């Protein structure tokens, strides 16, 4: 059957191209001779101005009318606006989508081959990369506009559908998780000069932080038949733009998922200071939880300080304290560390003191027993796994990025994950959501 499918595809492809060209030309001929910007009547109108486009069925050529707008003082092609082909380069909307989706998922060389194999569209690597970056920039611009709209309190239609319904909303907890990861980027000044800089005692900085967050209503967290936790609906943000950019994007995303209606907000993250500072700035009053596995790392540090060469002894010392920590018996854990401190001196005492102080400073973030009773996630695994999924694209061998390039592709990936692909490409059904397929 596979051979038959290939044969039919090849035989019908040219027919599809002809049908598309005829239908598009018919629609172009219906464009009224008015300026698409100001609405004024065009003068000096001439016909037959050709322009070719690469489409999913091959290249087509359109003949359009051109006219002069006295008010805008420029030539206009009404058909381009009528067809949604303004500032599209030489690619149709369908091919633009192919480029954006393929390059956001795969390295350009692989994306070019996959697109050709699955669709028959042959796009040179340079064209594919350029088009994907252009679509990514469009996504960034639209994200900025939508986030600004939320900041003005005018984005009610952006909220998830369940929160747009009339009537009271059942009380819910909004969960926010935060994390960060590193991306490798080209440094314009240092690129190609690694040996030279190292010889001069300078180490080039290739790695930079990417910041991310996710938010969801606790009611959207369910258990699969196999006992695995699933989140049915959530919003994700990911940016190379720094902590300030994350603040703006995460706040807007949280508002879309009910920050303004939430009975309470719960933030779960590792112990990075920047995270708790961000929470105090944008989500004051939220309950905070330290990821338990991060907290356990600090107990492991004590165990290894006490038994630096005996992993079995370190494990045996740790187990009862781990059980107490997860049972929210934080005071007993800290008391035991205090008892240890009376018997230690030197480097080991300093190591234990540092970890004891860390747990004391995070005492209010260690209620794991209460979290289990309320059905809340203990840790920030949802966000950590999301970061790893982004890294699958950006951490491939040989992949270096520019700041503008990685932000553009991350923005495309985030539109896809958040079910907003149709905002970039209106021909996509509005109810299309890849997370539900």
């Amino acid at each position: 059957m596979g051979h038959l499918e290939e044969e039919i595809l090849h035989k019908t492809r040219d027919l599809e191209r002809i049908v598309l060209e005829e239908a598009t030309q018919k629609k172009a001929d219906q464009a009224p001779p008015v300026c698409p910007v100001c609405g004024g009547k065009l003068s000096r109108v001439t016909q037959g101005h050709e322009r070719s486009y690469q489409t999913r069925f091959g290249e087509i050529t359109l003949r359009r009318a051109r006219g002069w707008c006295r008010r805008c003082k420029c030539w206009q092609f009404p058909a381009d606006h009528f067809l949604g082909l303004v500032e599209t380069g030489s690619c149709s909307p369908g091919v633009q989508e192919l480029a954006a989706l393929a390059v956001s998922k795969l390295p350009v060389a692989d994306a070019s081959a996959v697109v050709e194999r699955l669709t028959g569209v042959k796009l040179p690597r340079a064209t594919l990369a350029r088009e994907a970056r252009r679509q990514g920039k469009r996504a960034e611009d639209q994200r900025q506009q939508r986030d600004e709209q939320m900041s003005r309190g005018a984005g009610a239609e952006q909220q998830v559908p369940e929160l747009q319904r009339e009537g009271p909303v059942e009380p819910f907890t909004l969960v926010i998780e935060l994390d960060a990861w590193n991306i490798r980027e080209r440094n314009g000044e240092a690129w190609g000069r690694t040996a030279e800089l190292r010889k001069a005692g300078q180490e080039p900085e290739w790695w930079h932080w990417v910041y991310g967050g996710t938010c969801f209503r606790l009611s959207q967290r369910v258990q699969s038949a196999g006992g695995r936790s699933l989140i049915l609906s959530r919003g994700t943000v990911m940016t190379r733009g720094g902590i300030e950019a994350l603040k703006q994007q995460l706040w807007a995303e949280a508002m879309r998922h009910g920050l303004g209606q939430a009975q309470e907000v719960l933030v779960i993250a590792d112990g990075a200071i920047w995270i708790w500072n961000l929470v105090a700035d944008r989500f004051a009053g939220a309950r905070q939880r330290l990821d338990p596995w991060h907290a356990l790392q600090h107990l492991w540090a004590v165990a290894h300080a006490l038994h630096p060469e005996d992993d079995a002894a370190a494990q045996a010392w740790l187990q009862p304290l781990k059980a107490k920590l997860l049972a929210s018996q934080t005071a007993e854990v800290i008391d035991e560390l205090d008892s240890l401190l009376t018997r230690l001196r030197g480097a080991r005492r300093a190591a234990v003191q540092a970890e004891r102080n860390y747990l004391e400073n995070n005492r209010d973030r260690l209620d794991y027993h209460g979290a289990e009773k309320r059905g809340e996630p203990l840790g920030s695994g949802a966000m950590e796994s999301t970061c790893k999924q982004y890294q699958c694209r950006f951490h491939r061998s040989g992949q270096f990025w520019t700041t503008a390039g990685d932000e553009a592709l991350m923005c495309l990936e985030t539109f896809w994950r958040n079910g907003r692909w149709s905002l970039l490409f209106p021909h996509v059904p509005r109810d299309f959501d890849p997370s539900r397929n």
Side-chain angles (χ1 to χ4, degrees), residues 3 5 13 23 44 60 75 90 97 118-119 125 171 179 188 221-222 255 279 284-285 299 308 366 421:
H3 293 289
E5 289 176 313
R13 183 173 175 79
R44 298 152 62 186
I60 67 171
W75 293 101
S90 60
E97 182 193 3
L118 294 181
T119 69
R125 298 179 187 179
D179 205 355
R221 184 175 182 265
V222 299
M255 288 296 291
V279 173
L299 284 181
L366 305 177
W421 201 242

Side-chain angles (χ1 to χ4, degrees), residues 302 338 341 348-358:
V302 175
D338 284 337
L341 286 170
R348 289 202 298 173
R349 178 183 173 83
V352 175
Q353 183 70 62
E355 305 307 340
R356 183 263 179 212
N357 291 345
Y358 181 86

